[in-house]
Structures are given as C-alpha cells and as structure tokens.
C-alpha cells in the first residue's frame, strides 16, 4: 500500500495490534515503504464500540447487583432482576461461571437471565424467591441437579429447557404453576408431584 492509497482509499487497511487505554488518546501510525517514502496517519478509534469491562459489580435490577469472585457469580439485593435482552447484557465471560449464588431478598429471576451459561453446574436459590422467569437457565448444559426452594410459586416457560445433563430436580410444596416446556430437553425422568399444583401441561417435558 503506497502513501496515496493509505490516505485516500476506504478499502485498504493496515492491521495493527495496539494496547488500548481506558481513556481516549491520539494515536498515530508512522509508515515507511521499501523505497524510503514515509507517511504519518492519525487513527481515530471508535471507543463507543469497545467491549465493556466488568468492574467487579454489575447492576442487574433496580435494587440488585451481581459480583464475581473467580468462577462464582453472586446476586445480592431485593426484588426482581432485569430481563436479559438488548438493554441488559452481561459484562463478563459467562463461559467461566460455574457457580451461581442468589442471596435472600431476591424475589424474581428475569427472563433469560442465565441463558447459555454452559459451564454452570451449581445453583443456590433463596427462600424469598417467588418466580423463575422464562428461559432463565436455558441451555445450562453442565447443570446436573437443582433444588427449587420453598417459596417458589412459578417456573416459567422453557426455564430449564435444553439443560441436557439435568437429571434431578427437587420441587417445593409452594409451587403453583409450571409453564410449558419448562424442562424440555433435560434428562429428568421423574419427580415428586407437588400437592399445591393444580395443573402441569403435557409439554413440560416436551421431548
């Protein structure tokens, strides 16, 4: 690439690996070709498209924060978490999380909150929890067993769908509603039927 091509063309580029600081800085690239011709080009990176760094805590509800320690993710606070969607997304490597602790005070896990946490194999849920939303643990394929604590009333649509290694589940006496496909694609073959539940759709175990 000669000097004029580098300055004037939009389809030519030079790949350069740079250490990017947290604060915006001016970056210049100095280039010399085989004939000794040189040029200096100012680079203007788009800082708005940079991946967000996990700062140690992340707000995932109006009154809920998540903290990470090694491979453990802990949720603390009160009330409902946000749903996982375009406006709420994890700033961590979810594939590194093996254990999740949801502390007392949290009442509802939002839709798709832990979807695709494929290394997750241990979950601790609080007795304050009332609702497990839709697709919360979708495709947590390393999960083998789960204890749903007393107090939980609703397990949402596809809450544990595609947890392919899940073979053991303990349901509380407080459960009132299990929505369709909640355990589709799991290895569960039996469970204790809760006394307070009025109806379990056939599609709970759709596979």
């Amino acid at each position: 690439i000669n000097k004029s091509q580098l300055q004037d063309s939009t389809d030519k580029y030079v790949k350069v690996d740079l250490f990017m600081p947290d604060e915006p800085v001016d970056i210049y690239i100095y280039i010399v070709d085989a004939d000794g011709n040189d040029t200096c080009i100012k680079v203007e990176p788009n800082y708005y498209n940079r991946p967000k760094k996990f700062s140690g805590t992340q707000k995932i509800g109006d009154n809920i924060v998540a903290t990470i320690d090694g491979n453990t993710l802990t949720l603390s606070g009160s009330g409902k978490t946000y749903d996982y969607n375009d406006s709420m997304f994890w700033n961590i490597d979810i594939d590194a999380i093996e254990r999740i602790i949801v502390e007392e005070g949290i009442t509802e896990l939002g839709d798709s909150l832990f979807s695709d946490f494929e290394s997750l194999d241990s979950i601790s849920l609080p007795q304050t929890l009332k609702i497990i939303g839709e697709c919360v643990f979708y495709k947590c394929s390393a999960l083998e067993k789960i204890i749903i604590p007393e107090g939980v009333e609703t397990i949402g649509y596809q809450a544990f769908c595609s947890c392919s290694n899940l073979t053991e589940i303990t349901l509380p006496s407080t459960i009132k509603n299990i929505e369709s496909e909640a355990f589709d694609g799991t290895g569960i073959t039996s469970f204790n039927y809760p006394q307070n539940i009025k109806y379990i759709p056939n599609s709970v175990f759709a596979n």
Side-chain angles (χ1 to χ4, degrees):
I1 301 174
N2 61 38
K3 180 176 179 180
S4 61
Q5 287 178 314
L6 190 62
Q7 288 179 322
D8 301 331
S9 176
T10 58
D11 62 356
K12 297 288 192 290
Y13 65 92
V14 175
K15 181 179 180 181
V16 181
D17 293 325
L18 297 172
F19 170 77
M20 300 298 291
D22 291 330
E23 299 298 327
V25 296
D26 291 335
I27 300 173
Y28 294 87
I29 297 178
Y30 181 74
I31 300 173
V32 181
D33 64 19
D35 297 325
N37 301 310
D38 62 80
T39 189
C40 186
I41 303 295
K42 182 178 180 180
V43 178
E44 297 181 359
N46 187 341
Y47 282 87
Y48 295 101
N49 287 338
R50 297 179 65 186
K52 293 184 178 181
K53 296 181 179 180
F54 188 64
S55 62
T57 64
Q58 180 177 347
K59 185 176 181 180
I60 61 167
D62 290 342
N63 299 298
I64 300 174
V65 295
T67 58
I68 188 170
D69 182 11
N71 60 10
T72 300
L73 185 68
T74 301
L75 276 60
S76 57
S78 60
K80 178 187 182 298
T81 73
Y82 298 139
D83 296 332
Y84 182 92
N85 51 40
D86 291 340
S87 61
M88 185 274 165
F89 52 90
W90 289 107
N91 295 335
I92 61 174
D93 178 9
I94 64 174
D95 291 333
I97 301 301
E98 298 178 4
R99 185 184 184 200
I100 288 175
I101 300 172
V102 182
E103 295 186 342
E104 297 292 331
I106 295 174
T107 58
E108 181 175 349
L109 299 179
D111 296 348
S112 302
L113 186 63
F114 303 120
S115 178
D116 294 308
F117 277 54
E118 296 190 26
S119 299
L120 178 65
D121 61 15
S122 175
I123 302 169
S124 175
L125 300 174
Q127 292 189 348
T128 54
L129 189 64
K130 300 295 184 185
I131 299 173
I132 298 174
E134 297 183 1
C135 303
V136 171
F137 297 104
Y138 179 87
K139 205 177 178 182
C140 293
S141 53
L143 189 64
E144 296 181 356
K145 62 180 180 180
I146 179 72
I147 297 175
I148 308 297
E150 291 293 323
V152 172
E153 298 178 354
T154 298
I155 298 176
Y157 170 73
Q158 290 192 344
F160 293 91
C161 181
S162 296
C163 294
S164 54
N165 287 307
L166 182 62
T167 59
E168 183 180 338
I169 184 168
T170 301
L171 296 173
S173 62
T174 52
I175 198 76
K176 296 179 180 179
N177 182 35
I178 300 178
E179 297 182 2
S180 63
E181 300 180 32
F183 302 106
D184 180 27
T186 69
I188 296 173
T189 57
S190 64
F191 66 96
N192 293 327
Y193 197 94
Q195 295 181 353
N196 290 332
I197 199 166
K198 302 300 182 183
Y199 171 72
I200 297 181
N202 291 333
S203 58
V204 164
F205 302 96
N207 65 332

